[in-house]
Amino acid sequence: MSAVTDAAPRAARPHPLGQSVRDSLVVAKRNLIRMSRIPEMIIFGLFQPIMFVVLFSYVFGGSINVPGAGLSASGYREFLMAGIFAQTVTFATAGAGAGIADDMHKGLIDRFRSLPMARGAVLTGRTLADLVQTALTLVVLAVVAVLVGWRTHENVGKVLAGFGLLLLLGYAFSWIGALIGLSVRTPEAATSGGLIWLFPLTFISNAFVPSDNMPAFLQTIADWNPFSATVQACRELFGNLPAGYPVSDAWPMQHPVLASLLWSLLILVVFRTLAVRKYRSATA
C-alpha cells in the first residue's frame, strides 16, 4: 500500500525540462501581454533604427567610398543595411536589462520565486518576449529599408537565413542584458550599462564603413568582432557585397556565416549560464 501511494506523487511529478519550457512560455506570454498594453514601448523602440536608416542613407550615402561600389548612394545603402539591422538587434540588449532590473526593483522576481516554477524560466521567458519584439522591429525596419532603396539579390531562403542569424545574435545579446539587469540596482543603471559597451562594439566593426580603412590594430579588432561576423554574413546572404569588395584574410571574414553562428551560440551559452547563476544567488 505504501509503495502505491509513494509511486503516485512520483508519477504525477512533471519532467524538469517540460516544466521549464511551460514556465518559460507562461512568463514570455506575461511579458508580451504587458508590451501590448504599453504600445509606446514598441513605437519608441522603432524610432531610433528608423532614424539611423534615413540619416545614414541620405546623409552619408554618396559620401563614403565603398570598394566595388564607389561613391554610389544606392551602393552604400545596400552595404549599410546589414549593419543597421545588426545594430538594432544588439541595442535591444539595453531594454532587456532595464526590464529585468525593473522587475527586480519592484519585487516581481520575489513573487515569481515564491511560486513552484523553474528558476531559469523567469529569465528565459523575458528574453523570449524580447526576441518577439526584436523580430517585429526587424520587419518594420526592413519595410523602411525597401522604401529608401535597399534591395536583396539572393533567393528567399538565403535572405531568411540572414534574418535568422540576426535574431540569434539579438537573442544571445539579450542574455548579456539579463546579466547586467541582475547586477545593478536600478533600471536607469541597467540602461546605461547596457549601452555604454555597445557603441564601441558596433562602431569598431564593418557595419558602417569598410574595415580596411582603419588602423591595423582596429582592423584586427573589427575583423574578429562577433558583430562584424554577423554583418558580413548578412551581406553575403542578402547579396549586398559589392562586386570586387576586398574581404579580409581573417577567418571570421572568410567564413562569416559559420563564424556568426559560432559566436552567437558561444555568447548564448556563456551568458545564459552566468545570468541564471546570478539570478539564483540574487534570489537565494
Side-chain angles (χ1 to χ4, degrees), residues 45-105:
L46 291 172
F47 282 167
Q48 179 177 307
I50 289 175
M51 284 192 297
F52 268 112
V53 170
V54 175
L55 290 175
F56 273 82
S57 296
Y58 291 104
V59 174
F60 294 106
S63 301
I64 295 179
N65 183 15
V66 178
L71 294 174
S72 166
S74 60
Y76 181 66
R77 289 190 192 105
E78 293 196 355
F79 176 85
L80 169 72
M81 282 316 305
I84 294 290
F85 289 146
Q87 185 189 55
T88 299
V89 301
T90 53
F91 270 47
T93 301
I100 290 174
D102 187 50
D103 288 344
M104 290 281 290
H105 184 68

Side-chain angles (χ1 to χ4, degrees), residues 146-166:
V146 170
L147 293 177
V148 300
W150 174 66
R151 297 293 183 269
T152 60
H153 306 286
E154 293 288 353
N155 59 57
V156 175
K158 287 188 176 182
V159 173
L160 291 177
F163 281 109
L165 287 177
L166 288 167

Side-chain angles (χ1 to χ4, degrees), residues 257-279:
V257 175
L258 179 59
S260 173
L261 186 62
L262 293 177
W263 270 122
S264 295
L265 291 176
L266 178 63
I267 293 169
L268 175 59
V269 170
V270 170
F271 283 93
R272 186 186 189 282
T273 301
L274 294 175
V276 171
R277 184 178 299 173
K278 182 70 176 178
Y279 172 79

